[in-house]
Amino acid sequence: MIQLDDRLLALRAQVREWGADFRALGLALDRDPELIREHFDLPAVRYLSTMGIPPEYGNVPIPIAGNRFYGTLALERAIIMEELSCADVGMLVASPGPLLAGVLIDLLADEQQKDWFYGRMLESPLWTFFALTEPDRGSDAGALSTTVVPATADRPALLSGAKRYVGNAARAQLGVVFARTSPGPLGINAVLVENPSTGFHAEALETIGLRGARISAITMDEVEIPPERFLGRHLSPSRRGMWAFVQTFNLLRPGVAAIALGIARAAHEYVITHRTSLRRDECDRLDLLARRIDGARRLVHLAAAAVDARTGDGYLASAAKVRAAQLAHDATQEACTFFGAGARLEHPVLDKLVRDARGMEFIEGTSNMQKLNLFQGLFTGKLDREDPFRTAPLAAV
């Protein structure tokens, strides 16, 4: 079991305090996702705008209880994500920052690429995107059809294809696109793309939940890619394609699970706040929900510590994602039952939580995909069938 030390407890307390701003603005942002542009001065937004940038590139985050948290560790991100999504997940996903793309940059980019990317992020708050999913192939990276035709003597490399369900792409200034230069897993590359670029177009899709994320569709028609924008150009092909995004998703998955956990907790807290008188059976139902939330949090933290110890160890992260996504759905539905048949009409916050929770099933892989990953871990012996939590690390245990 992971026990948060004083340093991490201080982080959690501070982010929880910052979350009050998010909670106050959540419904307004749900109506107008661009409202976030008026709130770059909020402490949580300022922090998220550079979260994940290592100190050696000039990041100086707001000190918390005498410590600086760079958000480069999965466990730190899990704590931050739970608190801010509990306050309002829309504000969290609407905020600018390196986020998903930043994790890949940290893992894959060379020094020149990191200097360029992090430098841009530190100059001013920018949105980024991470484009893997395709309209006809989903997030099956092995089947992706977006291509980047290698450069020749008389023209640069050209990126063409389509991506879908990409967070913040319509308003992002920088992003990562996965594309293939040749058939097979070794032909997959990640390239940095700026928006605007000739041939690049992104537009937001209509969604009923997670509206702050401006989930977008992208089309690319012969977008020129300079050689210095190929991530991992200093690495072998086996270390810059499939390997890279598997490691990236392993690192990100506990944070996604923490977002779902935060939504579940928000629903639970809403009932406690707005139902001051409860029958005995209702108290029992709330207690059961609280225990499920606490159990899921322990799993999320364990999974985060596991990938921090070894980025290839993402099996517990899959378990955490499955458990937390289901919990978010169950908790938001359960919360509505405490307020009668018209709960979602009379309680807009609950209605929003229900809508946001549905999206957690699809972000970063559906439950079926996560269960397949878990099965692979058990089948290959990388996850101990008799003691699946044996991977628990380290000094934090």
Side-chain angles (χ1 to χ4, degrees), residues 129 169 177 193-202 218-221 223:
F129 63 87
V177 176
V193 177
E194 293 185 81
N195 183 23
S197 291
T198 302
F200 182 92
H201 177 72
I218 300 174
T219 57
M220 295 156 288
D221 182 13
V223 179

Side-chain angles (χ1 to χ4, degrees), residues 85-102:
S85 60
C86 180
D88 184 72
V89 67
M91 287 289 292
L92 169 62
V93 296
S95 296
L99 297 176
L100 281 71

Side-chain angles (χ1 to χ4, degrees), residues 333-352:
Q333 295 287 334
E334 179 85 357
C336 290
T337 67
F338 285 82
F339 298 94
R344 291 182 62 180
L345 292 174
E346 296 167 2
H347 298 267
V349 171
L350 273 185
D351 175 65
K352 180 177 179 300

Side-chain angles (χ1 to χ4, degrees), residues 7 18 53 111 117 133 136 174 195 225 244 253 258 280 309 320 348 350 388 394:
R7 181 176 171 275
W18 288 345
I53 300 178
E111 286 304 310
F117 182 86
T133 303
D136 298 325
L174 295 173
N195 183 23
I225 306 297
R253 205 169 290 133
R280 177 57 185 265
L350 273 185
L394 317 173

Side-chain angles (χ1 to χ4, degrees), residues 97-106 117 128-130 174-176 231 252:
L99 297 176
L100 281 71
V103 173
L104 184 69
I105 294 290
D106 186 46
F117 182 86
T128 59
F129 63 87
F130 185 95
L174 295 173
V176 175
L231 287 171
L252 289 171

Side-chain angles (χ1 to χ4, degrees), residues 52 150 173 185 225 283 358 397:
Q173 294 85 4
I225 306 297
C283 290
R358 292 294 293 166
V397 175

Side-chain angles (χ1 to χ4, degrees), residues 15 29 48 68 91 99 108 112 136 157-158 187 191 215 220 237 274 304 323 339 355 357 377-378 380 383:
V15 178
L29 184 104
L48 290 170
R68 295 192 190 276
M91 287 289 292
L99 297 176
L108 196 58
Q112 184 182 352
D136 298 325
L158 299 174
V191 296
I215 295 171
M220 295 156 288
H274 293 86
R323 176 65 61 87
F339 298 94
R355 290 186 281 113
L378 290 168
T380 59
L383 191 65

